[in-house]
Amino acid sequence: MKRKSYQRKQKRSKRTRKALTLFVAFTSAIVVAFIALRVYVQVAGAPPLTVPKASIFLDENENHIGDHFTNERRYWVSLDEMSPYLKQAVVAVEDKDFYKHGGLDFSRIAGAVLVDIKAGGKVQGASTITQQYARNLYLSHEKSWTRKLNEALYAYRLEVFYDKDEILEGYLNTVYYGHGMYGVEAASRFYFGKSAKDLTLAEAAMLTGVPKGPSIYSPIVNLDKATNRQHVILKLMADQGAITQDEKTRAESEQLVLKSDSWVATKSVAPFFLDVAWQEASEILKSKNLDISEGGWTIQTTLNLEHQKAAEESVAKHMPNDELQTAFVSMKSKTGAVTALVGGRDYATSSFNRVTQAKRQPGSTIKPILYAAALENGYTPLTYLNVGETTFTYDKGRATYSPKNVNGKFANHDMSMAQAIAISDNIYAVKTLEEVGFKAFHEMANRFNVNIGTKDNLSIALGTTETTLYEMTNAYNILASQGQKTTPTTIVSIKNANGDTIYENKEVDKEAESVLSKENTYILTEMMTGIFDPVFSDYSPATGIGIRSRMTHTYAAKSGSTNSDQWLIGFTPSLTAGVWNGYDQGKNLTEREDTASTKQIWIDFMEAVNKGTKNEDFTKPKDVKGVVIDIESGKLATDACPKQRLVYMDEKDVPTEKCSNFDILDTDTWGNFWNMLPFSIFKN
């Protein structure tokens, strides 16, 4: 008996020692595991909190005009920039012990595990806010034990390196609220048309209910279910003491106004312009070894909302009801700041930007570049050429070229450069190129940064080499800038997500490079005002006569046309604007309304943006002189010569001979007349 008792005692002692050993081993393993986990976490360091953020576009006056997103629409805001009700609501419904636990709520985990075991799969979650934030940052939403383990590991790392408010802020900025909205700021703007800091208790509770199931609890999808969910959250907040019963009751009775429609409407401001600005900003940041896809940038642009509105309204008013396409761009002289840009009729239908991407033949809009070269090579506004029908021989006599004018007619007299620009005579342009030479034209085109190709072909004088409206308008902007180099830009400054200025456009402060002398620029500019003057009309009218009656300001411009393109580019001393119209597939322009829209769009815009402003005169250099000239002869005008115009040229080029040897109102004429008489009595 004693022996059996002893054996039982030995067995109990053995089991106790074994259990104790197992307990110590298990405890040691847990401690070692936690130590190893802690060491791993310390070695791994703080997990990055980088998430895609929206980049914000501002206009020249710092008004918000648009956003750019990589994959997710998100605006990052701090907890201080959120309504306090949001913080209270999300803690109440998602994780009431958030500020007490270390990232994992073991009581909730145990309950969820039991439910999952009974169901035979992963059906119920017990994720804390920290775990959800970790999932949003690093993991998928797959329901598996592996994902849950990784989620717990990331949650622990977050809790080690970041405080609770940082984690809550991150969660509220990453959670999905449906309709492509990530984070409370994007969701608040979308649903309620306001910033997250301005949300009421009722709005905050409604918004907090959406992430549980955006396709179910979005108030836009199902207002009844969203409202029921809102009431559940308000009750939890009251039960936990976050709000009073009176606040709960008032919030439940508040009538919410959804603003998603108005939010969508605000996203359509100058989409073609914003594409150009995004591309330019991307290149700027790339030059600084920064990646624009990180998001969170605040990009202040050069867009002038009034100019953009005027451009869009002009296009809408004058484009015919067919498939004709359009492109419009305006830019400030001196700085090259793009103030408005329309890349096509409808961005939603086609985002192809016809300002920057479409390469078309510029036609006669290339001629001012050619005539700039001519002015540097001895030509003056009163250089006369025979512009009758001409066949040119080239390629060492093996080929011929017979240019035509738009209406198929030719002048039966010599013509000055000033008149040739006004009526866009093609024979004059080709003869000028033949006399000035290809080298001078290529060199001038390079200075104006305009593509005219590399081949020496006489047809390039008529704009047969394709280029973009962006390039051509900037070339004219150089003329508006008194011959000083300009580069088109859409960017004023770029700030990062922390508000640090990464780039600031300081080109305006730099001394510009001279492309063309101020004297020749002014002479050329004044000749370009001639397209609106009927005194130059000949076998063909001056090309801008059709819009002359609508002009209240002084403009210099040049039109251009091909079988499939219509152009007009012009400027004042402070602003340049260019318009192109044509068909995307190069279809010929045969309808009158197709060819008429270009000039109407241009003058509509220029008059709209200059309305109520004082007329600007182009600045005349001191060595340039204006004289009234007889257009037909190129001599000084008298009252006997009906076709007169004020023409500007170098002082050395001013003619001395008058257009008529007999003018009944001219005293010199009568003096000469009496001197010719043989009777000395009459000479005095």
Side-chain angles (χ1 to χ4, degrees), residues 459-618:
S459 67
I460 63 176
L462 307 183
T464 55
T465 304
E466 294 179 341
T467 186
T468 66
L469 180 62
Y470 211 48
E471 283 184 1
M472 287 303 303
T473 305
N474 181 61
Y476 280 53
N477 203 46
I478 291 172
L479 296 177
S481 304
Q482 296 182 279
Q484 303 304 296
K485 183 176 182 179
T486 63
T487 302
T489 181
T490 59
I491 305 298
V492 174
S493 66
I494 304 174
K495 295 181 180 179
N496 63 17
N498 297 322
D500 303 320
T501 299
I502 303 301
Y503 167 81
E504 190 169 7
N505 190 343
K506 295 183 178 179
E507 292 299 314
V508 68
D509 300 325
K510 292 172 62 176
E511 186 173 341
E513 173 188 339
S514 180
V515 174
L516 188 67
S517 72
K518 290 185 177 181
E519 291 76 15
N520 283 337
T521 299
Y522 183 79
I523 292 168
L524 181 57
T525 296
E526 284 296 332
M527 284 195 288
M528 291 170 67
T529 65
I531 77 165
F532 306 109
D533 194 339
V535 74
F536 285 121
S537 295
D538 198 271
Y539 67 85
S540 182
T543 57
I545 289 297
I547 57 176
R548 174 185 171 86
S549 62
R550 301 187 56 198
M551 291 170 50
T552 61
H553 287 66
T554 300
Y555 303 119
K558 185 71 188 75
S559 60
S561 62
T562 71
N563 290 334
S564 55
D565 305 275
Q566 285 285 325
W567 301 66
L568 183 63
I569 310 173
F571 54 90
T572 66
S574 60
L575 186 69
T576 305
V579 184
W580 166 88
N581 286 118
Y583 291 94
D584 283 340
Q585 302 306 318
K587 173 184 172 183
N588 285 350
L589 299 170
T590 56
E591 301 297 327
R592 186 180 181 281
E593 60 181 358
D594 287 353
T595 58
S597 59
T598 308
K599 293 173 184 175
Q600 296 301 326
I601 291 170
W602 186 86
I603 193 63
D604 248 21
F605 171 82
M606 294 301 277
E607 286 296 306
V609 300
N610 287 303
K611 185 177 181 180
T613 64
K614 185 179 179 181
N615 185 55
E616 295 180 275
D617 291 320
F618 298 102

Side-chain angles (χ1 to χ4, degrees), residues 104-397:
L104 303 174
D105 189 331
F106 293 103
S107 61
R108 292 177 64 188
I109 292 173
V113 168
L114 290 175
V115 172
D116 291 343
I117 291 173
K118 289 179 181 179
K122 185 77 185 68
V123 297
Q124 181 171 316
S127 297
T128 62
I129 286 175
T130 309
Q131 288 174 273
Q132 293 181 59
Y133 182 34
R135 182 174 65 231
N136 293 339
L137 285 176
Y138 314 114
L139 304 167
S140 71
H141 287 255
E142 173 193 8
K143 288 190 174 183
S144 68
W145 290 108
T146 301
R147 195 268 292 164
K148 287 298 293 183
L149 288 172
N150 283 325
E151 182 183 288
L153 180 59
Y154 274 116
Y156 180 62
R157 290 177 64 190
L158 287 171
E159 290 278 349
V160 168
F161 289 101
Y162 301 102
D163 64 39
K164 289 290 186 178
D165 281 348
E166 286 180 291
I167 293 170
L168 183 58
E169 177 183 303
Y171 170 80
L172 287 167
N173 277 290
T174 55
V175 68
Y176 182 54
Y177 287 90
H179 307 281
M181 303 297 140
Y182 288 80
V184 293
E185 184 68 12
S188 181
R189 294 187 193 183
F190 176 76
Y191 287 109
F192 302 113
K194 61 173 68 174
S195 176
K197 69 177 183 295
D198 299 321
L199 291 175
T200 66
L201 171 58
E203 291 166 340
M206 176 70 78
L207 207 58
T208 301
V210 175
K212 181 177 175 64
S215 62
I216 300 172
Y217 297 110
S218 162
I220 294 173
V221 174
N222 192 318
L223 183 58
D224 288 339
K225 288 186 177 180
T227 302
N228 290 337
R229 176 76 175 156
Q230 175 204 42
H231 289 179
V232 169
I233 293 170
L234 289 169
K235 183 179 184 302
L236 286 171
M237 293 175 73
D239 291 346
Q240 294 172 26
I243 59 174
T244 65
Q245 287 296 329
D246 286 344
E247 288 177 311
K248 169 181 172 292
T249 301
R250 285 196 299 271
E252 288 175 338
S253 61
E254 182 179 327
Q255 293 295 315
L256 301 185
V257 179
L258 299 174
K259 297 288 186 67
S260 58
D261 289 342
S262 60
W263 184 93
V264 171
T266 64
K267 301 301 111 180
S268 59
V269 177
F272 289 104
F273 175 92
L274 294 183
D275 280 354
V276 176
W278 182 257
Q279 182 61 37
E280 185 179 349
S282 177
E283 294 300 321
I284 290 170
L285 291 173
K286 186 177 180 181
S287 70
K288 298 178 178 296
N289 297 316
L290 296 170
D291 187 356
I292 199 168
S293 64
E294 294 175 11
W297 309 103
T298 297
I299 304 169
Q300 185 180 357
T301 72
T302 58
L303 186 73
N304 182 306
L305 286 177
E306 291 183 2
H307 288 196
Q308 183 68 26
K309 181 182 178 183
E312 291 175 356
E313 289 180 349
S314 298
V315 167
K317 180 179 178 181
H318 295 292
M319 288 297 288
N321 187 24
D322 57 20
E323 295 180 354
L324 186 72
Q325 274 295 349
T326 190
F328 174 94
V329 64
S330 61
M331 54 187 70
K332 292 180 180 178
S333 63
K334 313 299 183 198
T335 65
V338 177
T339 64
L341 190 150
V342 179
R345 296 183 73 158
D346 184 7
Y347 185 85
T349 302
S350 170
S351 61
F352 179 69
N353 194 325
R354 294 156 189 85
V355 173
T356 59
Q357 295 176 291
K359 292 189 175 183
R360 308 290 293 227
Q361 292 183 353
S364 293
T365 58
I366 201 68
K367 290 176 182 176
I369 312 299
L370 171 62
Y371 294 142
L375 289 172
E376 286 193 347
N377 285 272
Y379 274 56
T380 78
L382 299 182
T383 297
Y384 280 76
L385 299 177
N386 183 331
V387 291
E389 186 172 5
T390 306
T391 296
F392 298 87
T393 302
Y394 64 99
D395 193 19
K396 298 181 179 179

